Amino acid sequence: MSRGLHAILPPIEVVAGSIANSDPLCPEEWDEGLENRLKYNANGTLKTEIIKAPFVQIPLGVTEDRLLGSVDVEESVKYGTTVFQPGLLADAHRGVLYVDEINLLDEGISNLLLNVLTEGVNVVEREGISFRHPCKPLLIATYNPEEGSVREHLLDRIAINLSADVPMEFEDRVSAVDLAIQFQEKSKQVFQSVEEGTDSAKTQIIFAREYLKEVSISRDQLKYLVMEALRGGCQGHRAELYASKVARSLAALEGRDKVGVDDLKKAVSIFFDCF
């Protein structure tokens, strides 16, 4: 699923020389010192690059230095000054950050990950360096409840919690097996068969990101979400906050500037089963 979601993410434009995929339209979020490394085209415009949205997987045995970043000893010796070596979180900014079996992730690493994702910024202060860069990836994680539960404070930051144990209809199972067999034998043809749909989804997301800025949700609609959250016994406000974001996103995907009834119902069906 994580690879499938990553496949429909459109390419991103980044500032040339950025170590954290900085957005040229958001200079307030650029990684520290980037303004001193800017490059310009012959016509005086800022030099940027179009890259594929990153996909970064955090291994269970990841170290703090590998996750957050550390001192690049070789480069530091070469240039006679402390040089920062970006970690996985820098690579993941504006892309997908994937954790398999997140419930088995070291507690200390989980806490570091949680702090960065909550703030949207990774601040590294150690060994004579002080560096900060943006970190706002799409976090996708899996876990097996039989191997241990996810820590509550981490699960609380995950918007959607879906179960893979939902029974499938007979025809759906047949289709899934058929597609798996085709992929094993003719993977290239399978990719080609979904290429048009994938490109269409990427285009739709690009437009939706622009439409989202104008999508509004009324106070009465917010009241409806709060009432549903109370009815479902949800603690805190994250359920209705996430639900309102999804309702607006659904409207944006269809090019509308106002949230509709169906958007609210879909958001409720997704979120209030998770909290």
Side-chain angles (χ1 to χ4, degrees), residues 29-81:
E29 295 183 355
W30 286 356
D31 42 275
E32 190 171 324
L34 178 58
E35 61 275 6
N36 299 323
R37 306 192 304 273
L38 296 178
K39 301 176 182 179
Y40 295 90
N41 297 310
N43 59 4
T45 59
L46 180 64
K47 190 172 184 178
T48 61
E49 301 171 341
I50 303 296
I51 66 171
K52 187 175 182 179
F55 182 96
V56 176
Q57 180 171 354
I58 297 181
L60 292 180
V62 67
T63 63
E64 183 177 336
D65 285 350
R66 184 70 185 101
L67 181 70
L68 303 180
S70 61
V71 173
D72 189 325
V73 177
E74 183 177 343
E75 291 297 308
S76 297
V77 172
K78 179 179 179 180
Y79 293 103
T81 184

Side-chain angles (χ1 to χ4, degrees), residues 15 21 32 44 65 86-88 99 102-103 109-110 128 130 135-136 138 156 191 203 214 222 245:
V15 178
N21 308 319
E32 190 171 324
D65 285 350
L88 294 175
V99 186
I102 194 172
N103 53 319
I109 295 296
S110 295
S130 178
C135 182
K136 296 181 179 180
L138 170 62
D156 187 48
F191 279 122
T203 302
E214 307 298 329
L222 290 177
K245 289 183 179 181

Side-chain angles (χ1 to χ4, degrees), residues 75-250:
E75 291 297 308
S76 297
V77 172
K78 179 179 179 180
Y79 293 103
T81 184
T82 304
V83 178
F84 177 70
Q85 183 177 43
L88 294 175
L89 295 182
D91 297 336
H93 179 52
R94 301 175 67 200
V96 171
L97 183 63
Y98 176 64
V99 186
D100 191 22
E101 297 183 320
I102 194 172
N103 53 319
L104 302 182
L105 199 63
D106 177 79
E107 184 173 1
I109 295 296
S110 295
N111 292 333
L112 290 172
L113 179 63
L114 175 62
N115 290 337
V116 173
L117 295 181
T118 299
E119 298 295 330
V121 177
N122 179 29
V123 180
V124 182
E125 294 182 341
R126 64 176 68 180
E127 302 165 351
I129 63 171
S130 178
F131 191 84
R132 59 190 293 132
H133 66 77
C135 182
K136 296 181 179 180
L138 170 62
L139 174 65
I140 301 177
T142 63
Y143 74 97
N144 184 351
E146 295 180 0
E147 298 178 347
S149 59
V150 179
R151 296 174 183 86
E152 289 295 332
H153 64 286
L154 182 58
L155 188 60
D156 187 48
R157 296 302 196 280
I158 297 176
I160 305 176
N161 185 7
L162 301 176
S163 173
D165 295 331
V166 178
M168 295 179 65
E169 296 293 337
F170 177 79
E171 289 300 328
D172 291 335
R173 295 190 63 158
V174 173
S175 298
V177 173
D178 182 39
L179 183 59
I181 293 174
Q182 290 183 45
F183 186 79
Q184 291 174 354
E185 298 177 350
K186 303 176 181 179
S187 59
K188 186 175 182 179
Q189 287 86 332
V190 172
F191 279 122
Q192 290 177 344
S193 68
V194 300
E195 184 175 6
E196 183 177 348
T198 300
D199 290 341
S200 177
K202 289 181 180 180
T203 302
Q204 188 177 15
I205 291 174
I206 292 174
F207 283 115
R209 286 175 173 174
E210 295 301 316
Y211 293 146
L212 185 60
K213 302 172 185 178
E214 307 298 329
V215 176
S216 62
I217 182 169
S218 69
R219 186 173 181 81
D220 287 339
Q221 290 173 326
L222 290 177
K223 288 181 179 179
Y224 167 75
L225 293 178
V226 172
M227 287 176 59
E228 291 297 318
L230 292 173
R231 185 182 303 174
C234 300
Q235 297 181 357
H237 302 289
R238 295 193 187 279
E240 51 260 51
L241 286 172
Y242 287 141
S244 65
K245 289 183 179 181
V246 165
R248 293 179 61 241
S249 298
L250 290 171

